[in-house]
Amino acid sequence: MVSAFKHSITHKLHRAEAWIFANPKIVLALILAATVIFATALPKLRVYSDFSDLLPQNHPYIQVYNRLKENFGGANMIVMAIEVEQGTIFNNDTLALIHRATQGVDSLPGVNHNLVFSLTHRTARKIFLDQYGGFASESYYDPQKPQRSVAELEKLKQDVIANPTMYGLMVSPDLKAALIKAQLNESDIDYKATFDALQQVRAELKMPGHKVYVTGNPVLTGWVYTYINQILEILAWTLLLLATLLIVYFRRLYGIALPLLGIALSSIWGLGFMAMMGINLEPLSLPIPFLIAARATSHGVQLAARYYEELAIVKDGRRAARNALDALFRPGSLAIIVDAVGIAVLVLGAAPFNHKLGIAAGFWGFSVIFTVHFMVPLALTVLPQPRSTENANQGVRNFLGAAMAKTGGTDGGARSILILTLIGAIGGTYFVSHVQLGESEPGSPLLHRDHDYNVSTTAINTRFPGSEELHVSARTQEKGGIKRPEVMAAMERFQAHMLSDPGLGGTKAIPGVVRVVNKLTHNDDPRWMQIPDTAQEVGGLMFAYMASSPIPGALKEFITPDEREANMVFYYKDHQADTINRVVALAEEGIRMLKVEVPDLEIALGGGIIGVTAAGNQALHTDHMIIIPAVMGLAFLLVMVYYSSLHAGWLMVLPMLFSTLMTYAYMGAAGIGINVNTVPVIAVGVGVGIDYAVYFMDRIREEFAELQDIKQAVVKAVATTGYAVSFTAVTLIAGVVMWIFMSDLRFQSDAAVLLSFMLIVNAIAAVLIVPSWCVVFKPRFVTAARYDADGVLETD
């Protein structure tokens, strides 16, 4: 019954194919019309980064982050440092430069003016008791008095050293550098406009004897935007390289023009669909569209190569085109569907970025069925038949066949290949254990180590406790609960617990402010630098601090207006995976400890770049354990259903498993971490392997149905499809290889190397593992293959 059902399906597909070839101009016109519709949407396509898209919004850390960012600042902080080469910053010229830098940063587009911090900012104030015993304050720096005497400068220096919220945190311990920090409003960040304005400010700050460093996520994203023109240049060179390869391979017009036309059509469909759906093109994910476009070329190459092969036999262009689609419809459509589904699986990821990429790239990959798989053979039916019907490159094909006849085409050779594959897989597991989840080094792996951004990050982290912040929320159930002495004491115990980590550079929270103000009220006696015994006294000290400042919101960086929630800030020098894992484990231990001591106090992680990255790493672990197995599982199911064979599903997944294992081994050896940018690359690369394997397997079945000898079938499959597959691998690598040599974005260069490695290993695995497995195990879905009444290859 199942066999009858399958036959009815294949019969209907055969009839549909017959109608398509009977009406090629109608089908081509429909493809062209759809292309025009998608092309009209292209002007709406936007290329930009949306920070919130990269965050797993349902993660508890991100929920805390979203609550904290408006009051206490988010992860989009700009950090600038002014460093003096000789002496200290306490001279008139350097202080004036710091003030100009502060004003410049405060004027940047999108800056939250309430969350700008600097030694010379109006909110940086010295608190003291006036002659009547009341609280008063004054700015450390008065722009109306740019010139100070030596004695005044020395007094300013001593005042800064006496303030723990300034000394060490905003002014370096060696007094040679000062920080300017600014948070961006995250509702609608224009990274390019902000970065361009920041670079202008930085250019205006150049002064002999001083260095200006800038770091922070908006700066990193801004640097990425500066390479957009370079990306377009890489696109042009990539197209030129692909065209050159097609010329070398085919040396015939149709073999060159039609695969390139397939790139154009599929790209218009894919990018037009993104524009219609309002999906932005993320600059860091650009290697993936390049790879999809190259895969469209590879399917066009397979069809054109098979067309010329059939043309040499039948000497009729229309019949050769029909035979090419007949032979490649099943493997080609299967490969395209698995490609598309493998990319679409990214929607299972926690971050909206994955959802968008999965939908857009999945559609783009699936559209290749129409823009290439049907378009190429139909175009060949309506175009004039080539004058020459000879099959080119026959010498290379004969060489490949002879090589396979002496290796994988023999029992001993096939077994040796499978044994060596097993040994390689076992050896690769050593390096797999070295793969890190998250960043594997300080700074940003997106840019080269000697890039200005990474140099600035290193310089700032050398002088200061750290530019990477972790914000921790302490929240009580009732209003004013933060003022309770036991809550203040619990926050300090948590800070002390976190300070047991040697990687922590410093910390800041409201209890430190209360202690300083309490000391001031008692004639600056250090014995009174403590937390009072009652909430009323704590509240009085906090009120005194706010009253001393003519600027509203003096405590806004520490507590919310209803005094229910406070922010504790911890400073680190990097957000590497090891650092974050250690910090999170230590913080959660402290939270459990304080939960017992103060049950109604809720302490939660989430803010700052450390909290955001920790959430991303944890979500990535889950995503990674779902997405990659899902790609494998869906590939197995689709192949199994297509061929009605468990063995077929396993045989197609086997090369994917091997190449994926080798990919992780390479990542472990090269120090490439698994992060939000690399997971999509891995998922796309995993699906590529099935392209080669499916074409090989189907050609082996086709040759066996005719020759009835598995070894001869394997040899002939490698001699024919093997050459096309090897060229396909070359074209796919050509789609990304230019990133290696031309991109100044280190991540894109590394991603291109990673993809190239995956493509090479996938091709080798398909060429060697699939034929060798067939020779050794003689799977029934291959050895029982035959042609049915409609000329469709089926398993008997």
Side-chain angles (χ1 to χ4, degrees):
M1 184 175 178
V2 174
S3 178
F5 175 73
K6 282 179 57 182
H7 180 76
S8 67
I9 294 295
T10 56
H11 183 69
K12 290 176 182 177
L13 289 173
H14 188 77
R15 288 178 60 188
E17 182 186 335
W19 183 89
I20 289 172
F21 271 94
N23 302 276
K25 293 181 179 179
I26 295 176
V27 178
L28 289 172
L30 291 174
I31 293 173
L32 178 62
T35 303
V36 171
I37 293 172
F38 284 119
T40 58
L42 287 178
K44 300 177 184 177
L45 182 66
R46 299 177 63 193
V47 182
Y48 69 93
S49 292
D50 188 338
F51 184 71
S52 62
D53 278 352
L54 304 177
L55 307 182
Q57 294 295 329
N58 293 326
H59 194 284
Y61 292 2
I62 301 303
Q63 292 173 350
V64 172
Y65 168 80
N66 289 334
R67 190 175 74 239
L68 293 180
K69 66 183 181 183
E70 292 303 323
N71 286 314
F72 306 126
N76 277 288
M77 174 182 283
I78 295 173
V79 182
M80 177 182 286
I82 305 294
E83 181 184 64
V84 63
E85 294 179 357
Q86 300 292 331
T88 72
I89 63 169
F90 292 99
N91 63 79
N92 289 314
D93 290 341
T94 302
L95 290 171
L97 183 65
I98 295 170
H99 177 65
R100 291 206 309 274
T102 303
Q103 295 297 102
V105 170
D106 201 1
S107 66
L108 294 175
V111 163
N112 185 334
H113 303 292
N114 294 319
L115 294 174
V116 176
F117 307 103
S118 162
L119 169 63
T120 64
H121 194 259
R122 62 186 183 277
T123 56
R125 308 182 71 82
K126 172 192 173 184
I127 304 171
F128 57 92
L129 295 177
D130 61 20
Q131 58 185 336
Y132 305 108
F135 276 91
S137 69
E138 63 181 15
S139 297
Y140 284 107
Y141 181 80
D142 183 0
Q144 302 301 318
K145 187 183 178 183
Q147 296 298 316
R148 298 189 180 208
S149 66
V150 174
E152 289 173 326
L153 290 170
E154 180 64 23
K155 181 66 168 60
L156 171 60
K157 181 174 74 174
Q158 296 304 321
D159 289 340
V160 169
I161 292 174
N163 186 346
T165 64
M166 294 298 300
Y167 179 63
L169 298 183
M170 300 304 297
V171 175
S172 64
D174 61 3
L175 307 178
K176 296 184 72 67
L179 288 185
I180 300 98
K181 293 185 176 182
Q183 289 280 351
L184 297 187
N185 296 307
E186 294 191 2
S187 55
D188 188 20
I189 300 177
D190 188 336
Y191 286 105
K192 185 178 186 306
T194 301
F195 181 76
D196 289 345
L198 177 63
Q199 289 295 83
Q200 180 64 34
V201 169
R202 192 176 180 184
E204 294 170 356
L205 293 175
K206 287 185 177 179
M207 179 184 289
H210 296 80
K211 295 179 180 178
V212 180
Y213 301 108
V214 185
T215 187
N217 185 68
V219 183
L220 174 61
T221 307
W223 277 116
V224 171
Y225 273 80
T226 64
Y227 297 110
I228 295 296
N229 290 335
Q230 185 185 72
I231 290 170
L232 295 176
E233 182 182 351
I234 292 172
L235 171 61
W237 281 103
T238 299
L239 289 173
L240 179 61
L241 176 60
L242 288 172
T244 303
L245 289 173
L246 290 170
I247 292 170
V248 170
Y249 179 75
F250 284 107
R251 300 186 297 278
R252 289 182 170 185
L253 177 62
Y254 296 162
I256 300 165
L258 291 180
L260 290 177
L261 179 60
I263 286 183
L265 295 180
S266 66
S267 297
I268 291 172
W269 281 43
L271 295 174
F273 176 79
M274 293 180 71
M276 287 180 175
M277 299 295 290
I279 297 174
N280 59 294
L281 191 59
E282 167 64 51
L284 289 177
S285 68
L286 283 175
I288 293 176
F290 274 64
L291 182 61
I292 296 173
R295 286 161 85 168
T297 308
S298 73
H299 291 292
V301 166
Q302 290 284 347
L303 286 161
R306 188 58 181 259
Y307 168 76
Y308 285 120
E309 186 179 323
E310 294 292 333
L311 184 63
I313 299 171
V314 300
K315 311 297 184 182
D316 181 274
R318 289 179 62 87
R319 188 177 168 193
R322 174 69 181 272
N323 289 349
L325 185 60
D326 280 343
L328 297 182
F329 176 77
R330 182 189 293 269
S333 60
L334 175 60
I336 292 169
I337 291 171
V338 173
D339 286 348
V341 171
I343 301 173
V345 166
L346 289 171
V347 300
L348 299 176
F353 166 74
N354 285 331
H355 299 173
K356 292 181 178 181
L357 184 61
I359 292 170
F363 174 84
W364 192 339
F366 183 76
S367 70
V368 173
I369 284 184
F370 304 100
T371 58
V372 175
H373 206 53
F374 286 145
M375 183 276 294
V376 170
L378 291 177
L380 288 169
T381 64
V382 298
L383 290 170
Q385 178 178 316
R387 293 179 182 178
S388 173
T389 60
E390 295 299 320
N391 192 12
N393 304 315
Q394 192 60 45
V396 177
R397 297 167 191 265
N398 293 338
F399 171 78
L400 288 174
M404 178 54 65
K406 296 178 181 179
T407 55
T410 65
D411 291 325
R415 290 193 183 94
S416 298
I417 289 171
L418 295 179
I419 292 171
L420 288 173
T421 300
L422 180 61
I423 293 172
I426 294 172
T429 56
Y430 169 78
F431 293 102
V432 171
S433 63
H434 290 74
V435 179
Q436 289 191 0
L437 191 68
E439 307 297 358
S440 57
E441 59 186 56
S444 173
L446 299 180
L447 302 167
H448 291 285
R449 292 182 179 89
D450 60 352
H451 191 279
D452 177 84
Y453 176 84
N454 284 329
V455 171
S456 291
T457 301
T458 300
I460 290 172
N461 285 330
T462 300
R463 293 286 185 194
F464 292 90
S467 60
E468 316 281 359
E469 295 184 358
L470 169 66
H471 293 194
V472 178
S473 162
R475 186 163 61 162
T476 58
Q477 296 177 359
E478 77 280 10
K479 290 184 178 180
I482 292 297
K483 295 184 291 187
R484 288 160 43 200
E486 66 270 24
V487 171
M488 287 278 177
M491 291 173 63
E492 287 197 318
R493 287 199 298 279
F494 184 80
Q495 288 179 280
H497 178 75
M498 295 296 289
L499 282 167
S500 65
D501 180 3
L504 177 60
T507 179
K508 180 177 70 174
I510 187 64
V513 176
V514 171
R515 283 179 177 272
V516 170
V517 176
N518 196 16
K519 183 184 75 166
L520 282 173
T521 63
H522 294 86
N523 298 315
D524 227 15
D525 186 340
R527 292 176 298 178
W528 284 94
M529 196 171 181
Q530 57 185 274
I531 302 297
D533 295 331
T534 66
Q536 289 78 11
E537 290 180 272
V538 172
L541 294 173
M542 289 166 58
F543 177 79
Y545 180 85
M546 289 187 289
S548 70
S549 175
I551 308 299
L555 286 178
K556 190 172 182 180
E557 63 176 300
F558 298 103
I559 58 171
T560 56
D562 62 4
E563 298 172 340
R564 285 184 57 190
E565 187 170 20
N567 183 38
M568 294 180 280
V569 184
F570 301 89
Y571 300 94
Y572 297 90
K573 295 183 183 296
D574 63 75
H575 56 272
Q576 295 180 81
D578 289 343
T579 300
I580 288 178
N581 293 340
R582 187 180 68 248
V583 169
V584 169
L586 189 64
E588 291 183 344
E589 179 187 351
I591 291 171
R592 289 192 298 270
M593 176 183 68
L594 292 177
K595 188 67 177 177
V596 176
E597 300 176 10
V598 189
D600 64 337
L601 174 64
E602 178 191 342
I603 296 180
L605 301 178
I609 194 67
I610 296 288
V612 164
T613 307
N617 287 354
Q618 291 181 13
L620 273 174
H621 176 71
T622 303
D623 290 352
H624 195 246
M625 298 304 292
I626 293 174
I627 290 174
I628 304 304
V631 173
M632 299 280 190
L634 287 170
F636 173 81
L637 288 174
L638 287 169
V639 174
M640 183 188 70
V641 171
Y642 251 65
Y643 292 102
S644 300
S645 169
L646 287 169
H647 202 152
W650 158 248
L651 182 53
M652 290 302 93
V653 170
L654 181 60
M656 294 172 66
L657 284 171
F658 175 75
S659 60
T660 302
L661 180 64
M662 291 297 101
T663 298
Y664 286 124
Y666 171 77
M667 292 176 68
I672 301 174
I674 297 173
N675 55 49
V676 70
N677 297 308
T678 55
V679 166
V681 172
I682 296 169
V684 172
V686 167
V688 171
I690 205 165
D691 287 10
Y692 311 133
V694 166
Y695 279 117
F696 255 117
M697 184 180 72
D698 211 76
R699 188 58 182 262
I700 293 171
R701 294 177 74 241
E702 181 182 334
E703 296 298 341
F704 184 87
E706 180 180 339
L707 301 172
Q708 295 298 306
D709 184 289
I710 191 64
K711 295 175 184 176
Q712 291 184 32
V714 162
V715 170
K716 191 168 181 182
V718 171
T720 53
T721 301
Y723 185 55
V725 164
S726 62
F727 181 75
T728 294
V730 172
T731 57
L732 287 171
I733 294 170
V736 296
V737 73
M738 286 299 181
W739 295 94
I740 299 174
F741 307 108
M742 297 184 63
S743 179
D744 290 326
L745 281 171
R746 180 183 163 199
F747 162 73
Q748 290 181 336
S749 178
D750 288 347
V753 173
L754 181 62
L755 279 170
S756 298
F757 178 84
M758 295 181 76
L759 293 168
I760 292 170
V761 174
N762 271 317
I764 294 172
V767 171
L768 297 179
I769 294 176
V770 173
S772 298
W773 188 278
C774 290
V775 169
V776 173
F777 295 102
K778 299 177 179 61
R780 185 180 179 279
F781 77 94
V782 173
T783 58
R786 64 173 180 81
Y787 289 97
D788 67 7
D790 294 321
V792 177
L793 194 64
E794 293 290 352
T795 300
D796 189 1

